[in-house]
Amino acid sequence: MADLPLPEPGPSEIRIRIAACGLNFADLLMQKGTYQDTPALPFVPGMEVAGEVDAVGEGVDGFQPGARVAVFGGHGGLAEYGCFPAARAVKLPDAMPFAEAAAFQIAYGTSHVALSHRARLQPGETLLVLGAAGGVGLTAVEIGKLMGATVIACARGADKLQIARDMGADHLIDTETADLRAEVKALGGADVVYDPVGGDLFKAAFRACNPEARILPIGFASGDVPQIPANHLLVKNISVLGLYWGGYMAFRPDVITDSLAELLRWYEEGRIHPHVSHLLPLSSAAEGMDLLRNRRSTGKVVIEIG
């Protein structure tokens, strides 16, 4: 850690007194220089934060000092203060703790945009979620169930599967021991596949798809980017729908703002419940990264600041 001068917000920026920062697998990729939006060195990791507005820059409307907000900044979150574009901030419900707010935007936003906007998941369809106890996977289970799908959750080990069941999963598959393709086929096959893992799990899920299924590559936590046989897509009329949530900031920010507005309504109505498995101090940020790297967390890892 280092002591730096207090940053000053530029035009259209707000300064946040950061209370909590949510960690994401993308933070690990940024450290390796392999993420699609890795900033120039040196940079401070931490993609999403929650806290109070401390100061506002020229041209900012709608935010005053003291406002409780969450921000997807892309980086800069593992700090006591940060300046971020006001356009990337959302006001928080009064009852939402900062730790939950810091765990909210990327995980819930990714799953909601993927399932509703990209895959058009329908009530009665079967949703297969890989990595179902992870940061985004667990929210896909929860949102898929809210959208009326039958949810098959795949994760490693009984403890992680129990968390997915608590979020509403109808069927559980232990990827340490099960034949994924056979078990999904026995359950009637998958209409939508949500995949933040890649690798061999993608291949097995692909082979368990029903005709006209939609596959959502969300990420590649396994480190293996699968190659998709186009001839198999043709035979089953399968669609592969990539999803990079942050990319919408550049070309259709309304997709993100509309999605977050609905998700925050769901939160206030008690329909979704963020799961934070580890809440650590800033001095333990490296430990938090290791939890993600070694897949020892469920839901989200959040760093408390201050």
Side-chain angles (χ1 to χ4, degrees), residues 42-67:
F43 70 90
V44 176
M47 299 180 72
E48 57 182 331
V49 302
E52 291 187 356
V53 175
D54 176 68
V56 299
E58 182 182 352
V60 172
D61 293 320
F63 294 98
Q64 298 295 329

Side-chain angles (χ1 to χ4, degrees), residues 13-294:
E13 288 187 336
I14 55 176
R15 187 172 67 204
I16 307 296
R17 181 185 296 112
I18 299 172
C21 175
L23 299 186
N24 293 273
F25 195 80
D27 290 310
L28 299 177
L29 299 180
M30 281 189 190
Q31 291 177 33
K32 294 166 61 178
T34 58
Y35 191 61
Q36 56 262 34
D37 277 343
T38 298
L41 294 171
F43 70 90
V44 176
M47 299 180 72
E48 57 182 331
V49 302
E52 291 187 356
V53 175
D54 176 68
V56 299
E58 182 182 352
V60 172
D61 293 320
F63 294 98
Q64 298 295 329
R68 303 175 75 255
V69 296
V71 180
F72 168 64
H75 63 279
L78 290 174
E80 294 175 309
Y81 291 86
C83 293
F84 305 97
R88 292 193 171 201
V90 294
K91 293 182 179 179
L92 299 175
D94 291 340
M96 192 177 208
F98 286 130
E100 291 190 359
F104 192 82
Q105 284 184 285
I106 293 176
Y108 279 100
T110 295
S111 293
H112 186 252
V113 171
L115 296 177
S116 65
H117 180 70
R118 294 291 283 151
R120 308 292 182 186
L121 180 67
Q122 300 298 308
E125 290 191 312
T126 295
L127 169 66
L128 173 63
V129 181
L130 308 182
V136 292
L138 200 58
T139 61
V141 171
E142 191 177 14
I143 290 172
K145 193 63 182 174
L146 276 174
M147 293 178 68
T150 297
V151 179
I152 305 172
C154 302
R156 300 178 64 182
D159 291 344
K160 289 186 176 182
L161 287 171
Q162 182 56 51
I163 292 168
R165 183 183 291 282
D166 292 343
M167 284 295 189
D170 299 285
H171 305 286
L172 308 174
I173 296 177
D174 189 337
T175 54
E176 287 186 321
T177 58
D179 181 333
L180 176 61
R181 180 199 180 199
E183 294 212 16
V184 174
K185 293 288 282 184
L187 292 168
D191 299 308
V192 175
V193 176
Y194 184 98
D195 179 19
V197 180
D200 289 339
L201 290 181
F202 176 94
K203 297 172 187 175
F206 184 92
R207 297 173 68 197
C209 281
N210 292 327
E212 295 195 324
R214 290 88 75 201
I215 302 178
L216 293 155
I218 304 298
F220 312 103
S222 67
D224 181 358
V225 179
Q227 303 304 302
I228 300 169
N231 58 322
H232 291 184
L233 295 176
L234 179 153
V235 170
K236 282 191 174 181
N237 293 296
I238 292 174
S239 299
V240 180
L241 305 168
L243 188 282
Y244 168 41
W245 180 79
Y248 280 102
M249 291 286 188
F251 65 92
R252 278 206 61 188
D254 61 296
V255 171
I256 290 182
T257 54
D258 291 349
S259 170
L260 287 175
E262 181 165 19
L263 287 166
L264 287 169
R265 283 196 300 271
W266 285 359
Y267 178 89
E268 291 188 281
E269 293 166 2
R271 301 176 69 189
I272 53 178
H273 307 87
H275 176 80
V276 176
S277 67
H278 294 81
L279 190 60
L280 303 172
L282 182 57
S283 59
S284 297
E287 178 187 338
M289 295 290 189
D290 283 339
L291 289 169
L292 296 183
R293 184 178 295 110
N294 299 316

